């Protein structure tokens, strides 16, 4: 699958969002992330997904609403976009409390190049099956799937109802 280049204005906006959200959260008792650029990566991934399906206007740049239940909505389907920098062997992973949306989309990023690709997607019923709750790279238990376990049929996102 081809890599999608994120425009410089979106990269700058995502970098500012990442900086602002950490500033916003510093007064909260927030868990430490392994990657302090996690919000930057999230916004790049969201833009890559949105740009393919005409959903750019649904990207939330609001600090107060960041981390809400879902990233996008098409008709009645709620969508959460996940990002990974393991672009060669990407895997989608979630904690049990992330079981909030209908569909999970994985975008693999090459952050140094501000590029990414749509890897695949799955419904929550697939990702959150008990057999998918297992040790993830010695980091603890997660629900996770590999690229080959994800759907590549993107037609579900071409709905006209993009409210």
């Amino acid at each position: 699958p081809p890599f999608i280049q994120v425009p410089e204005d979106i990269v700058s906006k995502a970098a500012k969002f990442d900086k602002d959200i950490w500033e916003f959260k510093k007064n909260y008792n927030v868990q430490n992330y392994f990657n302090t650029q996690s919000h930057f990566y999230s916004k790049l991934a969201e833009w890559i997904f949105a740009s393919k399906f005409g959903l750019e206007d649904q990207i939330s740049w609001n600090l107060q609403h960041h981390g809400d239940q879902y990233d996008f909505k098409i008709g009645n389907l709620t969508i959460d976009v996940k990002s990974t920098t393991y672009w060669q062997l990407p895997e989608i992973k979630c904690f049990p409390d992330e079981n909030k949306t209908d569909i999970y989309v994985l975008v693999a990023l090459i952050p140094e190049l501000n590029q990414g690709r749509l890897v695949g997607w799955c419904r929550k019923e697939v990702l959150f099956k008990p057999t998918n709750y297992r040790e993830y790279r010695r980091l603890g238990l997660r629900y996770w799937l590999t690229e080959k376990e994800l759907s590549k049929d993107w037609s579900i996102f071409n709905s006209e109802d993009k409210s």
Side-chain angles (χ1 to χ4, degrees):
F3 280 85
I4 298 163
Q5 185 69 46
V6 180
E8 199 52 50
D9 63 320
I10 298 297
V11 172
S12 297
K13 198 171 182 179
K16 181 180 180 334
F17 180 84
D18 186 74
K19 180 179 171 290
D20 291 348
I21 197 118
W22 287 113
E23 188 64 28
F24 179 74
K25 286 181 169 184
K26 82 175 182 190
N27 296 324
Y28 293 86
N29 184 15
V30 180
Q31 72 182 31
N32 288 329
Y33 286 85
F34 291 112
N35 190 323
T36 57
Q37 290 187 293
S38 59
H39 303 294
F40 174 70
Y41 295 158
S42 293
K43 289 301 172 192
L44 293 185
E46 287 174 24
W47 187 87
I48 288 166
F49 173 77
S51 71
K52 289 298 282 181
F53 301 103
L55 299 168
E56 295 93 335
D57 61 330
Q58 287 192 35
I59 298 174
S60 173
W61 299 97
N62 184 323
L63 299 179
Q64 267 101 0
H65 295 134
H66 182 71
D68 281 355
Q69 300 285 326
Y70 57 87
D71 296 321
F72 299 96
K73 191 166 185 181
I74 299 177
N76 291 326
L77 290 176
T78 55
I79 301 159
D80 189 12
V81 175
K82 299 291 186 183
S83 63
T84 181
T85 56
Y86 294 108
W87 58 272
Q88 290 178 306
L89 296 170
E91 298 159 332
I92 192 166
K93 57 194 173 301
C94 292
F95 290 103
D97 65 350
E98 293 182 271
N99 185 358
K100 297 175 181 160
T101 59
D102 300 315
I103 291 178
Y104 293 82
V105 172
L106 182 61
V107 175
L109 299 172
I110 305 177
E112 311 80 53
L113 301 177
N114 299 322
Q115 294 180 349
R117 69 179 173 93
L118 295 174
V119 175
W121 64 273
C122 63
R123 292 187 177 273
K124 71 177 175 182
E125 297 81 10
V126 173
L127 181 57
F128 290 95
K129 280 199 291 198
T131 53
N132 293 331
Y133 190 59
R134 52 199 195 258
E135 184 69 25
Y136 181 76
R137 297 180 187 256
R138 291 183 254 152
L139 295 173
L141 292 170
R142 310 276 195 286
Y143 287 96
W144 62 281
L145 296 171
T146 63
E147 178 174 11
K148 65 180 174 230
E149 297 171 286
L150 299 174
S151 175
K152 309 294 187 288
D153 178 2
W154 297 99
S155 63
I156 188 171
F157 303 108
N158 291 323
S159 164
E160 294 302 311
D161 185 8
K162 296 179 179 169
S163 51

